[in-house]
Amino acid sequence: MNNKLAGQVAIVSGSGRGIGREIALKLHRDGAAVVVNDLDAAPAEEVVAQIVAEGGRAVACVGSVTEKDFGERFVKTALESFGGLDIIVNNAGYTWDNVIQKMTDQQWDDIMEVHVSAPFRILRAASGHFREAAKKEAEEGREVFRKVVNISSVSGVMGNPGQANYSAAKSAINGLTKALAKEWGRYKVCVNSVAFGLIETRLTSAAAGEGATINVGGRELKVGISEQMAKNAAALIPMGRAGTPEEAAGGVYLFCIPESNYVSGQVLIVGGGRP
């Protein structure tokens, strides 16, 4: 452990699996206490158990980030369990693709809800704590930095066919990032986005197999890509392959450590050299 984040408290949405899991583990291994979230209790509790077994501190906050009261509950879990909140990572999400002439209102609304409205409500729920903590620290003559990392995508930077909803949502989260960087600079809160390229997860893996699905809100949504699509995508990446969840987590970590205390309002592409 480097312990650069010792004494800090992080909440990471969608951290029971994949990239979110690796983010939670990385922050813990650098000293942070972590509130782990997943739709399902089992994966969230598994990550909590691993962190505790490694000598860290973690609790679970199970449920969908799209629940209207989730933001308040997520923040409250951190404050009541660990007495503070220093890092927010808005990672939870999924894709539900279609070309625009076939895309339904529900496909559009649900993707905007999970990728834009849910992070908005989490950040709004944290605003009071951030404001009051910054005021107290300023009165004491202390400068304490807090971090927000919103997860975006290259689809939100350059667009992607079949992903009008997802591209729009991830572009919107970049806009929210830049707005809050300006609003919260006075509170010493750095707000940045990490835009992932092709990362090997169950949502993008060719190994998932034909017909692989995930259950979201009682709906079975197709995940994974074909072997040929995986090869075509990898050919466009200068490094020649998809990134790993651990590498994706590394991009998030950069915005959480003290070395990035004067970096805010930025969108970092983690895509193996692809713009």
Side-chain angles (χ1 to χ4, degrees):
M1 285 190 182
N2 293 319
N3 286 320
K4 288 185 177 182
L5 305 178
Q8 296 192 35
V9 179
I11 60 177
V12 184
S13 68
S15 48
R17 303 174 174 92
I19 296 170
R21 176 181 181 275
E22 296 305 322
I23 293 169
L25 292 175
K26 194 163 189 67
L27 297 182
H28 137 65
R29 288 167 182 162
D30 223 32
V34 184
V35 179
V36 177
N37 159 256
D38 197 88
L39 267 173
D40 305 311
E45 294 292 355
E46 184 179 324
V47 176
V48 168
Q50 181 174 348
I51 290 173
V52 171
E54 292 179 5
R57 298 183 299 155
V59 295
C61 183
V62 177
S64 171
V65 296
T66 63
E67 295 167 2
K68 293 298 189 288
D69 67 341
F70 179 81
E72 297 288 346
R73 185 159 62 88
F74 205 19
V75 170
K76 185 178 180 182
T77 300
L79 297 178
E80 291 186 347
S81 300
F82 303 119
L85 178 58
D86 304 279
I87 297 168
I88 298 174
V89 181
N90 282 308
N91 168 76
Y94 60 94
T95 57
W96 193 3
D97 298 348
N98 221 332
V99 290
I100 194 165
Q101 67 268 27
K102 295 181 180 179
M103 185 170 289
T104 66
D105 284 356
Q106 186 175 17
Q107 281 179 287
W108 175 270
D109 292 343
D110 286 5
I111 293 301
M112 294 298 286
E113 181 75 7
V114 71
H115 290 288
V116 186
S117 298
F120 159 73
R121 286 192 289 264
I122 291 168
L123 295 169
R124 182 177 62 186
S127 62
H129 169 69
F130 283 173
R131 187 172 58 252
E132 292 305 314
K135 180 180 177 182
K136 182 175 182 290
E137 290 149 5
E139 290 171 350
E140 296 170 350
R142 297 189 297 128
E143 191 173 54
V144 177
F145 291 88
R146 292 177 174 83
K147 306 298 178 76
V148 172
V149 185
N150 294 317
I151 302 306
S152 184
S153 166
V154 293
S155 295
V157 176
M158 56 195 296
N160 201 36
Q163 291 191 322
N165 53 358
Y166 185 69
S167 296
K170 288 309 191 182
S171 180
I173 201 67
N174 293 338
L176 177 61
T177 293
K178 291 177 181 293
L180 283 189
K182 292 177 170 61
E183 285 189 25
W184 284 0
R186 57 182 169 163
Y187 303 137
K188 310 302 183 212
V189 179
C190 302
V191 188
N192 294 289
S193 290
V194 174
F196 294 136
L198 181 62
I199 306 295
E200 188 78 12
T201 71
R202 64 183 181 142
L203 299 182
T204 61
S205 173
E210 195 70 30
T213 62
I214 58 171
N215 186 286
V216 179
R219 293 189 311 274
E220 293 294 324
L221 302 180
K222 185 178 181 300
V223 297
I225 58 178
S226 69
E227 290 284 355
Q228 189 58 52
M229 285 178 65
K231 289 178 182 177
N232 292 345
L236 297 175
I237 300 170
M239 288 189 176
R241 62 169 176 83
T244 67
E246 294 85 353
E247 289 168 329
V252 175
Y253 171 77
L254 295 175
F255 282 139
C256 296
I257 57 177
E259 285 82 349
S260 62
N261 281 355
Y262 200 62
V263 180
S264 196
Q266 303 305 304
V267 179
L268 172 68
I269 296 177
V270 177
R274 187 179 180 188

